[in-house]
Amino acid sequence: FRSDEPSNRIDMAGHTVRQIILDADTGSGGGWELLDSLSTNAKGDIIINQGSFYSNGFLIRADGFIVSNGHVGDIIIDSSEIFVHVPGSRAFNFSDADSVSALGTTVNLLNEGGPRFNGGPFHYNKVVFKGNALLGLANSASLPGECRIDTLIFNAGNYFYPLWQSYDIRIVDTLIINGSDCGHYTHFKGGSSELNIQKPHQFNYIIFEGLKNIGANATLNNCVVVDSATGWNFANDPTPKTLYRVGGSGDWHDGDHWSDTSGGAPTGCVPTLLDDVHFDEHSFDTAAIDIDINKYAYCRDLICDSLPYGADVNLNQNSRMHIYGSLYLKPDFVFRAFNNIYINFMSDSTDEQIDF
């Protein structure tokens, strides 16, 4: 769409297209108003290069929703439900927008592999992540300002990582983490930005790595601190555990594969950086096992007591293995890494050992 006229209309009548680009003809851009929902098919973005865009509350669905550098115009997406599917910085990038109004809008980021919400210094009603939650700027990290989100929602067991360099993230009303328990720890990873939670909250089962809260009182239960995390009220700390792998093949993060005794009943809890993990003859059923790690995984010591069969631990895309103690392997215990995925040894102690 190329126009300098301010009163263009788009009525797709339920059709989808490969990609949508709004741009100027010769000037700074026109204006486009939706009369129906707007959707692209697989791998198709909606890109606003120049001009104003008015959603009129209609549904918007795309691989990515992007505003280009140097944009001039108003983007009004009030009361719209927006769904984006792609991972990375293409998911939702409004950091270069001239002006944005998102009253009553919900932005849903559906990809579980780390889509990025680049909201810019604007105010959003609700942002919902299905998987890992990355918030930050794609390329314009020098812009000053603060992104305000009334309600931020994501699922426990993923990581929450603000990427802004000179931005702060203000949660005006509510930060909701669905499903927090000892089998679904959430990783809060900090950067140079700060989180400003405006109202008192209580959180459970979070691993903190340097994220600061400069807002209201936030009380934490059964939370673990990896690196300095100020502005949080730590009510009680989890007790270090010794966990044994049980039940053969499966996901590292499945609490039904970890027991507090060798060959015992599952606890429903997954290891944290405080916990020692053991593999022995009761870890297997009747054959070699495959263990998948698809997120950030933690333990203190990892110990292979005995291995009657082989064990492959697959470090898949978007995963990391963090070992905060010693590592004792057997010849048939093999880590298999996807591309540049690696094992991190994180201890401050001088007494740790590694036996491959």
Side-chain angles (χ1 to χ4, degrees), residues 140-158:
S140 303
S142 62
L143 292 174
E146 176 186 63
C147 183
R148 290 166 292 162
I149 301 172
D150 289 339
T151 302
L152 175 64
I153 302 174
F154 59 98
N155 295 322
N158 295 290

Side-chain angles (χ1 to χ4, degrees), residues 307-331:
L307 291 179
Y309 306 103
D312 286 354
V313 178
N314 305 304
L315 292 165
N316 298 322
Q317 189 175 13
N318 302 311
S319 71
R320 292 288 188 275
M321 182 74 218
H322 299 270
I323 298 176
Y324 283 80
S326 296
L327 174 65
Y328 303 97
L329 297 183
K330 297 291 186 183

Side-chain angles (χ1 to χ4, degrees), residues 27-84:
S28 61
W32 290 268
E33 176 185 359
L34 293 187
L35 301 180
D36 189 11
S37 61
L38 186 63
S39 298
T40 64
N41 54 26
K43 298 184 179 180
D45 296 331
I46 297 174
I47 303 171
I48 304 176
N49 287 333
Q50 289 294 344
S52 295
F53 176 78
Y54 309 94
S55 72
N56 283 332
F58 286 108
L59 180 145
I60 298 171
R61 187 183 296 272
D63 214 30
F65 197 3
I66 304 162
V67 178
S68 299
N69 184 34
H71 170 260
V72 176
D74 297 323
I75 298 177
I76 301 177
I77 51 175
D78 295 345
S79 302
S80 283
E81 189 91 6
I82 298 172
F83 297 88
V84 293

